Amino acid sequence: DQAAAVRAQWTDALTAAFARSSSCNPTESPPPPGWRLLAAPGERPVEGTTGVDVARLRDIGIQSVAPAQGVKVHSRIERFHIKPRLKRLEEGDGIDWATAEALAFGSLLAEGYNVRLSGQDVGRGTFSQRHAMFVCQDTERVYVPLNHLSVGDSGRQARRQPGKLEVVNSNLCEEAVVGFEYGMATEDPFTLPIWEAQFGDFFNNCQTIIDGYVASGETKWGQQNGLVLLLPHGFDGGGPDHSSSRLERHLQLSNDPVGGFARAAPNLYVAYPSTPAQFFHLLRRQMKRNFRKPLVVAGPKTLLRLADATSSLHEMGPGTRFQPVLDDPAIRDPLAVKRVMLVSGKLYYELERARSEHPLGSHVAIVRVEELSPFPQQELYAVLAQYANATDFAWVQEEPRNAGAYAFVGPRIQRLLPDLADLRYVGRSECAAVCSGVETQQAAEQAQLVQEAFDGLRGLVADLVINTISLQQARAPAASKQPPKPLDAQQPPPPQQRTLESQSAAAVLPASVSHRWSSRPLYAAAQSSER
């Protein structure tokens, strides 16, 4: 009887509402007060620097692992989390991902912003890396160090009182949780809302929320939101169900145009950062802008504890910001580069390790595309243009060809390449599953694609040698009988001459990967010796 009464009451309410709808004249609801301080949808975005004073960062980092008096932390947290963080902060180098995240949270809190982090086991972190909350081993009291920051001088410059970090260990109901976090993102633009999936593919249970609200809400209703989806991603033996955050699906939702100039701001930002400093700037950028956009981050797994994937405090210091493209820091002579590999995320470190062991590695540049949407056309073109002698360009990814970023970035990169140059694909072939469920097979596929990325390099270097000699002969006076200088004695020309030289070389002897100078003794010598 009680159930029937509830049902009847609800049916009557729906019937009355339907009757009123015929005469309803809806008006636009006023946005929450905070939104009036930001730019309206469609206006030109304003980007600034997101760095923080190094001394302030060090202080925030120390406070991020300072337990309250009377709170007894677990001995393993003391040994493997607190002490290593304090040591890295003191040295100012080797800052890992969890520390960079804590610095981003703490600096935003000190400036008056709130941070809300939800997801399965986010307090500890899926990979035991975060420990945003300490649990007393005697009383089970929960203590969040970042909620007890000593603001200091920065508080006088804060927009409002120090913010609050809300850590919510939510249940395994992704659709409901992400729907709630979207609501949080639309209500308060000065709260950084983050939903972290336990593994990247867990977002598939909330795909309808992403499609219908997160990615398209601004287009349909003019409703901005700054929700961050943190999706752990990477092929490291986790099998087909825990390896991929399905970058291809999120990129398919982006309205970033393939040709021409990008819009003032796209509907969706997608990033795959490779360093903790980049991750730090991504999180701070979400709040420091004069607008709000959703952000999808392919987050780290094995990179969380990779010694090479660390940053210094100065990379997060004043004047620094997120870089959509990271050039190769190991290249000393751009004109010696014949192959340019473009990559995102953790695969960079595997390629870098293989290059350091390759005898011709100095002729390969590895360029990282950190932001996939909006695609950084201008930034990437500026990097590629300096490699004037490069004739081979490859996009390298660990995902299958029908997955990952290749379908999205391929046509966009192709527009930036020199004439007669094509973008090659290096990676796994098409597959219905994300990857193999057998760890040994997955490792063998990974090793094969890394090796494939360096195949044919000897022939490319031979082309470079031939072009160099032909260019010298073309420039030499007809009466001159002086032999060309050895390659080791040549000095690279200044930057202003690189374009002219590349054009002259092309006029003398066009360089292309398809050319094979089998009739030339020099090419035969190059084939018989790596040098």
Side-chain angles (χ1 to χ4, degrees), residues 277-293:
Q278 290 280 82
F279 185 47
F280 167 87
H281 290 299
L282 271 176
L283 295 177
R284 284 187 52 82
R285 188 181 72 172
Q286 281 293 100
M287 292 289 99
K288 303 302 290 184
R289 289 168 157 169
N290 70 331
F291 64 98
R292 296 292 179 261
K293 295 286 182 178

Side-chain angles (χ1 to χ4, degrees), residues 119-121 126 168-178 195-199 201-206 242:
Q120 297 95 20
D121 202 14
T126 299
V168 184
N169 291 319
S170 59
N171 58 7
L172 277 166
C173 186
E174 289 83 1
E175 183 177 15
V177 173
V178 174
W195 177 71
E196 181 183 59
Q198 202 161 32
F199 289 93
D201 59 317
F202 282 25
F203 83 92
N204 53 22
N205 290 330
C206 58
H242 286 334

Side-chain angles (χ1 to χ4, degrees), residues 385-405:
Q386 64 182 323
Y387 300 115
N389 289 330
T391 58
D392 186 35
F393 301 85
W395 174 263
V396 189
Q397 67 177 36
E398 55 184 0
E399 300 86 358
R401 186 165 186 158
N402 60 322

Side-chain angles (χ1 to χ4, degrees), residues 31-74:
W35 286 105
R36 299 191 184 99
L37 302 176
L38 300 176
E43 291 186 4
R44 193 69 185 174
V46 175
E47 301 278 14
T49 59
T50 50
V52 179
D53 179 74
V54 171
R56 182 66 182 138
L57 288 177
R58 184 177 285 109
D59 180 57
I60 291 173
I62 293 173
Q63 295 187 61
S64 71
V65 288
Q69 186 176 4
V71 174
K72 180 183 177 181
V73 301
H74 196 284

